[in-house]
Amino acid sequence: LTFPLLSVTLLVSFGSSMLYGYNLAVVNSPAEYIKAFYNATWSQRYGHGLAPGPLTLLYALTVSIFALGGLVGSLLVGVLVEQYGRNGALSRSALLVLLAGGFMGFSRELGSPEMVIIGRSITGLHSGGCCLGCAQPFPHGSNPTAIPRGVGEHSIFPTRSNLRGFLGLMPTLFICLGVFCAQVLGLPELLGKDRFWPLFLSMVVVPASLQLLLLHCFPESPRYLLIERNDICGATRALRRFLGTPDVQDVIEEMKEERRSLSSMEMVSVWQLLRDRSVRWQTLSVAVVNAGMQLSGIDAIWFYTNTIFENVGIPVSEIPYTTMGTGAIEIVAGLIGCLTIERVGRRPLIITGFCAMGVCSAGITVSLLLQAALPWMRYVSVACVVGIIAGFCMGPAGVPFLMTAELFTQSHRPAAYIVGGSLNWLCNFTVGFIFPFLQMSAGAFCYLVFCGVCLLVALYVYLIIPETKNKTFMEISHIFA
């Protein structure tokens, strides 16, 4: 593992995946301060404050607009990478983050809630393009061990490099680190105060600026240079630097073969994929798993952790530290998932993860119903929240992206990623937007919705989706048939 290869992967993950995780959790701690700002601004403009319903609606839009920006970004990422390359796409995305940070940082000074919402949507656009966008296609016939979820990680490595699995899973860990950083900075001793919330939201400019400054120190993606630009000399120089060896001819020949294979291959559109009966079950499986990943309730946990803990009876003074504890456990669970996926396989991890999330969601409902009679049930609720996060990070967090590549041939993979990625972001928006209203209307029973989704997805995976570890596409296709 060479220093340049590790460095650029860390830099891309830090400025992309970590930002995604940070933006998931950053609105949790200052929620009441942002609502108070919205209410005060509305009162100044119109002479009266906002009613609880419209105020909740406006805040829910602020939280969930991030996912709509992510949807747009995920659909544009292929065009950006093809046009500008990995470094160019990341640089332009980093500039977007600087713009978003400016909007959110000066929103209170200018008395504009709209600037917060616009800033959130722009950060979503960046995350969709850099973190959870549609990955570039893998070469025909390859059986990758991991699906990198960014425009940076996937294009650096040789096609069959044994580093793809290790480095491809790093974005998941950085997402967990991003969530944890937001929880730490949201402590009352740091930025978790009323006067600091615009600064708290605008801290996204720090990793983006670092990425923007350092990215030019690294060469462009070798695969982009050779396959898209036919720059063999540039690709050779980049590979020599990344791999730390002058002998890269075998890798160059492999990339040339990949280019010839791609040039003779007709890619399937999304509409063609949906109509193709030969991959009907694979397409349905991608849709179910990606939608279930977001409808499992994990986004409600990330977006509204403090509100959930307040409703289960945790003292307000203890909530920030309880939330930070869940973030630390999340990192540990993500590490466990990364270290065990190649040993135990995809199906056991994703089934166990969804089942654990379903049981813990039901546990929150039970603990809330019994809390009046048994005050100690509040700690059961906290344990259930931790169980949901741990279950998600050990399986559903990364396996769906991995399975998407393993269920399809090269010609179908780009369309499959578009289907899965679009459902991912749309369901993220849905949960972020409706959860406050679901909580107000259903009370403790709102978590049973997530319980049902998790258990149904686990049952679907158990009955329909085969184990894909160490299997070729043809073997997987025969199992589905």
Side-chain angles (χ1 to χ4, degrees), residues 100 102-104 106-107 110-120:
F103 271 108
M104 295 184 290
F106 292 103
S107 57
L110 299 177
S112 175
E114 296 85 356
M115 292 177 67
V116 181
I117 297 174
I118 293 172
R120 285 282 293 172

Side-chain angles (χ1 to χ4, degrees), residues 134-137 267-268 270 409-419:
C134 307
Q136 277 191 353
M267 294 297 176
V268 172
V270 173
T409 59
Q410 168 58 29
S411 59
H412 290 68
R413 281 186 193 130
Y417 270 113
I418 292 175
V419 171

Side-chain angles (χ1 to χ4, degrees), residues 292-410:
M293 179 172 61
Q294 299 299 336
L295 296 177
S296 64
I298 188 63
D299 288 312
I301 299 294
W302 276 330
F303 288 146
Y304 303 103
T305 310
N306 284 18
T307 302
I308 292 172
F309 284 155
E310 185 177 350
N311 290 337
V312 302
I314 301 298
V316 175
S317 60
E318 298 178 9
I319 287 177
Y321 308 99
T322 308
T323 301
M324 188 179 67
T326 65
I329 293 172
E330 180 180 351
I331 295 174
V332 175
L335 282 170
I336 292 173
C338 291
L339 295 174
T340 58
I341 188 169
E342 289 301 331
R343 295 189 178 187
V344 303
R346 284 71 161 138
R347 287 181 81 247
L349 277 183
I350 196 168
I351 292 173
T352 303
F354 274 117
C355 285
M357 295 175 74
V359 171
C360 290
S361 295
I364 294 178
T365 298
V366 173
S367 62
L368 286 174
L369 294 176
L370 298 178
Q371 187 175 315
L374 303 170
W376 55 267
M377 291 299 289
R378 71 183 64 173
Y379 301 108
V380 176
S381 298
V382 174
C384 288
V385 170
V386 171
I388 292 173
I389 294 174
F392 178 79
C393 292
M394 283 193 293
V399 173
F401 301 98
L402 178 59
M403 295 179 68
T404 301
E406 295 179 335
L407 294 179
F408 294 93
T409 59
Q410 168 58 29

Side-chain angles (χ1 to χ4, degrees), residues 14 25 47 94 113 136 150 152 194 202 291 324 333 371 414 459 477:
F14 179 71
Q136 277 191 353
D194 186 17
S202 63
M324 188 179 67
Q371 187 175 315
L459 181 63
S477 181

Side-chain angles (χ1 to χ4, degrees), residues 1-6 8 86 155-158 163 217-223 225-226 231-253 255-256:
L1 182 59
T2 62
F3 179 75
L5 189 57
L6 179 60
V8 73
R86 184 206 68 212
S155 55
I156 299 173
F157 318 120
L163 298 176
C217 299
F218 298 95
E220 184 53 83
S221 158
R223 294 180 69 249
L225 291 173
L226 194 147
D231 184 359
I232 299 177
C233 293
T236 302
R237 288 193 298 269
L239 277 173
R240 285 173 177 169
R241 184 171 178 188
F242 279 131
L243 301 181
T245 175
D247 185 14
V248 295
Q249 191 57 39
D250 290 343
V251 180
I252 292 293
E253 293 300 324
M255 290 184 178
K256 289 181 179 178

